[in-house]
Amino acid sequence: MVLTDLHKGETAVVVRLAVEHEALKQRLLHLGVKEGKMVRVKAAMPFGGPVMVEVDGQAIGLRRKEASSIEVK
Amino acid sequence: MSYVALFGNPNTGKTSLFNCLTGSYEYVGNWSGVTVEKKVGVLRQHGVPVVDLPGIYSLQPLSRDEGVATDFLLTEPCSAIVNIVDASQLQRNLHLTVQLLEFGRPLIIALNMVDVAEKRGIKIDAVKLSRHLGVPVVPVIARTGKGAKELERAILSAKDGHHSRMFIDYGVEVERAIRRIAEQLPDDVPGDKRWMALQFLEGNERLAAYLRDHFDLSPLLAIRKETEQALGCQAAKHIYETRDRWISETIAAAAIEFKPKPLTLTEKVDAVVTNRYVGLPIFLALMYIVFMLTFNWLGTPLADQLDTFFSGPLTDWLSRLLDWAGASPFIEALVLDGIVAGVGGVLVFVPQIFILFFFISLLEDSGYMARVAMVMDRLMEAIGLNGKAFIPMIIGFGCNVPGVMAARTIEQPKERLLTMLLLPFMSCSARLPVYALFAGTFFIHEQALVVFSLYVLGIVVALGLAKLFSSTVFKNESSLFVIELPPYRVPQALTLWRSTWEKGKGFVRKAGTFIFGGSVAIWLLTYVGPHGVGVPMDDSLLAAIGGLIAPLLAPLGFGAWQAGAALITGFLAKEVVVSTMNIIYHVREANGLEQMIAAHFTPLSALSFMVFVLLYTPCLATVATIRKETGSWKWTLLSIGIALTVAYMISFLVYQVGMMFHFQ
């Protein structure tokens, strides 16, 4: 399952960060999105826009494409 | 000169703390990337220089502003580092702390936002944390200045002293690599050799570029490669994970309470403003309310009163004063028709500009700014930019110069360049006097709507061109977007006022310097003609200059020399367009200018003129900033060229289509 499969308000654990873009992956790591972390989907923008997730009480906005390369369970 | 440097994650309150420590009023806000360059101040009463740096998550920069912080460590001496740590986000904040500790300079931790952390169910024992990290930890609340005195004492006693003996064991392979790299490094490198070796292993590009200038990197690259083979993964990943474990242990040892719970206010507000369906409409509605307040409900009545005062009592009073002092007619004309008309004509718009700045400050300070970037990202993605580019654009509504600077936070070079080139289409506050004058004359009842449409036109043109460029010149360049959404906070009255005043001050100051000087020069140009002095206006030098481009402007509906002259002088600063018109149509009674303008323009040509002023060229200060930030005259000239062409085309369309349908 990937992050974008979650519905609004659902929580899951990050299994793998399969983000291709190296800089983006670094940024996500530094924001606390990493393996073993609980993430919660807070909102999704319409027309395939970004999703808003929460990790450690920190809200982050990222694009659907990148969110879909974050594997969760 | 050796600095005390302020380091920390983005949006942890570095600049607030800097302002407390140095008594400065640098620009603060509640989103990541407010500070994009280093700012220097002096520690009050002690004469110690302090430098504020852009926020970073780690010493490996991903964007231009982050590079500023890493470059500082590599090239400038520092006597101590103050690391501002957000107590509510300890885990990720301490990643930077560890890297700074490894750098090996005296370090003091300012533990900020302890109040926010407590609301989130996190309570940290500063003494235990201090013992674990081996450095002083001072709890502060940077927004209110609480703890600043204690921090100052800690800085003074730690400065130039010992550094922490904190040591993380990265495992056999990495430790061996560190030793081998350290052996190769020359003795005069900045920072600890262990630090440098670790940063190199992590793949710090800035550092690699710095080392490359001094010697051949291939042996070091070979060591990194060997280490990565032995580890079976990237060295950066291994180092990150080792640090992460160490940090978790540190927090477990130093936390008194750790039962994170959500911030309810933020949750509630976000449920509405980032809602799938109403998020974007809410943003647009808020913007519209801001415009109504600025132009219809509040700003215009105030500006009218100021105008009545300037053209009535103030002019009379000055005129009597000049008579009493026995001033020559020349001086009297210069003061009343030049300076009062030129400078006063711009100053009357101070109420509108301050109201607009107040709302921009409110947007910046509340935490809503980052949400706007996210709400707008889908649209921005479609035109080849990202949501973050919307933040410089909003700032550009105040003034284009800080807007161009704010583009530094955009990670992708192409997106940053595009944002900078198109930023001048954002209608800055200097263009506002022009709209207020023309829309106030010709569109009295629809003023807010007309002005709102101009702002929207600026955005539409910028976005349209972005689409054009990203699907031609910048094809195949990837775009990315990730943004931190800070907790909301209720803005403090004092911060809001300061932030509004700091922005507005520039406008008032410009009126006293640039526009004052410009007004004198323009008046002189109207006074002197090719065939003598004191000539009728139509035979003046200004008329000759304006007349040069007037024929070109005729198809746009404003082919008189007066419009041409106002536009040329408007390159200095766009307010000067209004100053020039005030001087040209020199009228000393209230509302006189509006009558004169009504005689020279029609509603249609006024609309065309406003569109042209909106788009035609970035002002001198913006051009200089674009040149500095892009480092290229080619892009700068292109930005001017695009603006002139687009302005001409759209004004032409507005006027000619309007004529076709017999709008006058």
Side-chain angles (χ1 to χ4, degrees):
Chain A
M1 196 166 58
V2 292
L3 195 56
T4 41
D5 293 334
L6 297 178
H7 294 286
K8 188 178 161 184
E10 284 182 343
T11 304
V13 176
V14 176
V15 183
R16 204 166 76 89
L17 273 183
V19 182
E20 266 174 42
H21 202 291
E22 192 51 39
L24 190 82
K25 192 173 164 182
Q26 288 301 325
R27 177 61 30 100
L28 288 173
L29 277 177
H30 286 296
L31 287 169
V33 183
K34 59 194 169 207
E35 281 124 35
K37 270 288 168 69
M38 296 273 276
V39 287
R40 185 164 69 95
V41 173
K42 289 186 72 175
M45 301 294 114
F47 309 112
V51 288
M52 180 175 168
V53 297
E54 190 186 279
V55 184
D56 288 335
Q58 168 69 61
I60 299 161
L62 75 161
R63 283 195 178 149
R64 195 166 286 270
K65 177 172 165 286
E66 277 91 32
S68 66
S69 54
I70 298 174
E71 291 169 25
V72 297
K73 71 173 180 204
Chain B
M1 191 80 91
S2 208
Y3 295 104
V4 170
L6 265 58
F7 277 87
N9 280 196
N11 207 31
T12 48
K14 290 173 294 301
T15 304
S16 293
L17 199 60
F18 176 82
N19 289 346
C20 285
L21 290 172
T22 61
S24 322
Y25 302 112
E26 290 297 349
Y27 176 33
V28 295
N30 185 19
W31 87 88
S32 299
V34 182
T35 308
V36 290
E37 59 181 351
K38 66 176 183 196
K39 306 259 168 68
V40 180
V42 172
L43 203 58
R44 282 196 269 202
Q45 294 148 21
H46 303 284
V48 179
V50 183
V51 58
D52 182 28
L53 294 163
I56 47 173
Y57 296 100
S58 93
L59 294 176
Q60 292 142 53
L62 299 183
S63 59
R64 168 83 188 268
D65 58 321
E66 295 177 1
V68 172
T70 309
D71 282 347
F72 179 84
L73 279 187
L74 289 173
T75 56
E76 307 264 5
C78 67
S79 54
I81 292 172
V82 177
N83 177 202
I84 293 96
V85 167
D86 176 355
S88 67
Q89 292 296 340
L90 264 188
Q91 184 88 23
R92 74 173 158 83
N93 275 254
L94 289 180
H95 272 275
L96 178 65
T97 307
V98 168
Q99 296 182 48
L100 291 171
L101 285 169
E102 287 169 344
F103 183 70
R105 294 300 301 160
L107 188 136
I108 305 102
I109 286 180
L111 192 64
N112 195 15
M113 307 201 194
V114 277
D115 49 341
V116 182
E118 273 177 39
K119 257 184 239 157
R120 284 201 50 226
I122 298 164
K123 215 167 171 179
I124 304 297
D125 186 334
V127 179
K128 279 188 189 161
L129 187 63
S130 164
R131 205 177 304 145
H132 229 259
L133 297 172
V135 292
V137 175
V138 184
V140 296
I141 298 174
R143 287 185 79 198
T144 60
K146 206 173 148 227
K149 275 270 154 284
E150 291 79 356
L151 182 67
E152 192 178 286
R153 270 199 294 280
I155 294 171
L156 291 170
S157 66
K159 196 164 87 69
D160 293 314
H162 299 292
H163 56 84
S164 166
R165 302 207 174 281
M166 184 276 312
F167 180 87
I168 297 177
D169 183 349
Y170 289 98
V172 191
E173 279 86 8
V174 174
E175 290 297 332
R176 190 190 306 127
I178 292 172
R179 272 196 306 279
R180 287 175 63 195
I181 291 174
E183 277 168 18
Q184 308 248 1
L185 293 174
D187 281 329
D188 58 349
V189 292
D192 202 80
K193 282 187 182 175
R194 180 181 171 79
W195 171 80
M196 196 154 255
L198 273 163
Q199 290 291 324
F200 180 79
L201 284 169
E202 278 186 88
N204 188 331
E205 284 301 327
R206 283 275 165 153
L207 182 111
Y210 172 84
L211 288 176
R212 205 172 285 126
D213 287 342
H214 294 74
F215 64 99
D216 178 24
L217 281 187
S218 42
L220 303 195
L221 289 166
I223 297 174
R224 182 160 80 195
K225 205 167 171 199
E226 272 174 50
T227 313
E228 294 192 334
Q229 270 162 0
L231 288 167
C233 72
Q234 278 185 316
K237 185 169 161 37
H238 177 85
I239 294 171
Y240 175 87
E241 283 168 358
T242 313
R243 279 185 190 145
D244 205 49
R245 274 194 301 277
W246 188 87
I247 290 166
S248 300
E249 286 161 20
T250 305
I251 294 175
I256 298 171
E257 202 184 308
F258 204 86
K259 288 187 220 94
K261 55 183 186 217
L263 291 166
T264 44
L265 169 74
T266 297
E267 293 276 314
K268 276 181 197 154
V269 178
D270 270 345
V272 181
V273 303
T274 63
N275 179 283
R276 229 182 136 70
Y277 305 104
V278 298
L280 191 59
I282 283 179
F283 172 63
L284 295 178
L286 285 175
M287 286 288 113
Y288 190 70
I289 290 171
V290 169
F291 280 97
M292 290 305 281
L293 276 168
T294 308
F295 292 98
N296 267 20
W297 300 335
L298 195 59
T300 306
L302 287 174
D304 284 346
Q305 283 181 7
L306 210 56
D307 191 22
T308 315
F309 170 73
F310 279 154
S311 47
L314 185 73
T315 308
D316 291 345
W317 183 74
L318 268 175
S319 152
R320 249 177 278 150
L321 186 78
L322 287 166
D323 284 343
W324 176 79
S328 68
F330 171 79
I331 294 292
E332 189 166 333
L334 173 66
V335 172
L336 297 177
D337 302 336
I339 297 167
V340 173
V343 178
V346 167
L347 279 182
V348 295
F349 299 105
V350 158
Q352 275 122 324
I353 282 163
F354 271 73
I355 293 170
L356 187 68
F357 282 154
F358 171 81
F359 285 106
I360 294 178
S361 303
L362 190 65
L363 193 62
E364 289 174 343
D365 215 41
S366 61
Y368 186 47
M369 192 74 120
R371 272 78 180 178
V372 173
M374 186 176 71
V375 169
M376 295 305 292
D377 181 65
R378 182 64 193 93
L379 179 67
M380 300 295 272
E381 187 185 8
I383 56 149
L385 284 175
N386 79 61
K388 264 192 194 170
F390 212 72
I391 295 178
M393 289 183 171
I394 290 177
I395 294 172
F397 285 147
C399 174
N400 287 174
V401 172
V404 172
M405 302 281 292
R408 285 188 178 189
T409 57
I410 299 168
E411 293 90 350
Q412 299 291 80
K414 156 234 163 180
E415 292 177 346
R416 177 168 171 241
L417 182 62
L418 253 183
T419 308
M420 288 192 288
L421 293 182
L422 302 176
L423 208 104
F425 291 119
M426 295 301 114
S427 186
C428 67
S429 61
R431 280 165 250 193
L432 201 148
V434 183
Y435 309 152
L437 177 64
F438 280 84
T441 306
F442 293 102
F443 305 99
I444 300 160
H445 301 296
E446 310 86 5
Q447 196 181 347
L449 183 69
V450 168
V451 178
F452 188 67
S453 316
L454 286 166
Y455 276 75
V456 172
L457 177 67
I459 299 177
V460 169
V461 168
L463 300 189
L465 286 173
K467 176 73 192 164
L468 182 71
F469 279 111
S470 57
S471 50
T472 53
V473 191
F474 297 112
K475 231 160 89 183
N476 307 325
E477 288 199 38
S478 68
S479 157
L480 64 87
F481 174 74
V482 56
I483 197 165
E484 207 180 326
L485 305 162
Y488 290 102
R489 54 183 195 203
V490 180
Q492 289 172 308
L494 185 67
T495 316
L496 263 185
W497 160 244
R498 255 185 208 161
S499 168
T500 307
W501 171 242
E502 283 301 311
K503 293 186 184 83
K505 201 174 70 180
F507 182 81
V508 177
R509 191 192 291 139
K510 214 163 35 160
T513 53
F514 234 70
I515 293 166
F516 182 89
S519 298
V520 171
I522 291 160
W523 185 80
L524 286 174
L525 284 175
T526 65
Y527 187 76
V528 180
H531 308 294
V533 292
V535 294
M537 190 78 75
D538 286 333
D539 298 327
S540 67
L541 265 181
L542 193 67
I545 297 168
L548 282 180
I549 62 161
L552 270 176
L553 300 173
L556 311 184
F558 41 88
W561 70 262
Q562 288 92 336
L567 289 170
I568 292 176
T569 52
F571 176 62
L572 290 175
K574 297 220 172 165
E575 302 96 319
V576 176
V577 170
V578 170
S579 298
T580 307
M581 293 211 150
N582 267 296
I583 295 168
I584 293 174
Y585 298 122
H586 67 125
V587 273
R588 292 192 199 164
E589 70 276 18
N591 301 323
L593 181 59
E594 295 185 357
Q595 283 159 20
M596 288 302 285
I597 282 181
H600 285 79
F601 283 83
T602 65
L604 181 62
S605 66
L607 187 65
S608 169
F609 187 75
M610 284 190 281
V611 168
F612 197 77
V613 170
L614 163 70
L615 305 169
Y616 82 115
T617 172
C619 71
L620 194 59
T622 308
V623 168
T625 311
I626 294 178
R627 165 69 188 83
K628 191 170 137 255
E629 293 291 298
T630 57
S632 138
W633 273 116
K634 192 184 91 184
W635 290 116
T636 312
L637 293 175
L638 188 72
S639 178
I640 301 174
I642 297 168
L644 281 171
T645 317
V646 168
Y648 197 89
M649 277 165 33
I650 298 185
S651 290
F652 182 85
L653 268 179
V654 167
Y655 188 68
Q656 297 298 336
V657 172
M659 290 295 276
M660 236 186 272
F661 289 95
H662 305 289
F663 289 125
Q664 284 296 322

